[in-house]
Amino acid sequence: MTLPEGGGSALKWPTARARRKVCAEFCAHIAAGYSIDSFPDADRRTIRYYAEQFPEDFPPARLEEAARRGLLEWERIGKDGARGELAKFNASAWTFAMKNRAGWRERTEPEAWPVWSGPEDSQTLETLKPRSSEEIALGVMALLTGKDMPKNGDGPRNAD
């Protein structure tokens, strides 16, 4: 579809009623988990044009809600598959779909903080990190002999 420039071309959906109808169809399409690019009545560029030019007929809040519902649909698939409720669930294919669809990616350590903690909790988390066999043996020896290990962690033969 050629988009109207300066009012020279006819609109694909000239009335508010037609625009609202296609908006409802588009939102149902997206909420079902389908991509914008697979909407059969228009391409991404056309939908964007109408959303920008006619926000009263393509309300941004409604479009955002549809996108969230579509993501929820994909997350449900993953959750059901992880529980074993979907026959022949392919976790690798689902992961690739989520990376492409939802922008998922491998996170680096600073990005991987749980929601309820952050970098300020690093000292607490540091005490929970896996220890080497040598550190564990020294800790056990300290417990058995009643001696404390140095507070800075610099004991004999420290692996760090």
Side-chain angles (χ1 to χ4, degrees):
M1 172 190 146
T2 304
L3 296 177
E5 295 193 23
S9 300
L11 293 172
K12 184 170 184 167
W13 304 296
T15 66
R17 183 176 183 198
R19 290 188 294 269
R20 289 184 185 129
K21 180 179 181 276
V22 79
C23 180
E25 292 169 356
F26 177 71
C27 286
H29 177 81
I30 297 301
Y34 296 107
S35 70
I36 293 171
D37 296 318
S38 67
F39 185 59
D41 293 339
D43 62 11
R44 175 186 298 266
R45 195 168 149 226
T46 302
I47 294 296
R48 172 177 269 166
Y49 172 82
Y50 277 88
E52 289 173 355
Q53 297 300 313
F54 303 99
E56 64 281 354
D57 299 329
F58 283 80
R62 188 171 181 192
L63 297 172
E64 289 170 7
E65 178 187 355
R68 287 191 309 273
R69 288 185 184 278
L71 181 59
L72 176 63
E73 181 65 26
W74 276 97
E75 288 187 7
R76 273 191 190 126
I77 291 168
K79 191 173 179 182
D80 292 347
R83 287 185 185 144
E85 296 172 2
L86 296 178
K88 298 184 181 183
F89 176 69
N90 186 327
S92 295
W94 179 80
T95 300
F96 277 114
M98 293 306 288
K99 285 180 178 183
N100 291 323
R101 179 174 301 284
W104 285 15
R105 59 187 169 74
E106 299 298 321
R107 294 184 291 181
T108 60
E109 188 175 327
E111 295 173 311
W113 297 108
V115 173
W116 56 86
S117 69
E120 63 278 356
D121 296 329
S122 63
Q123 292 294 53
T124 303
L125 294 174
E126 179 67 20
T127 62
L128 301 175
K129 77 174 188 176
R131 302 293 177 190
S132 68
S133 300
E134 201 169 287
E135 289 174 309
I136 293 169
L138 288 172
V140 170
M141 285 176 30
L143 286 172
L144 292 174
T145 61
K147 296 179 183 175
D148 289 332
M149 289 187 61
K151 296 204 184 281
N152 64 4
D154 288 336
R157 294 195 261 166
N158 191 346
D160 293 337

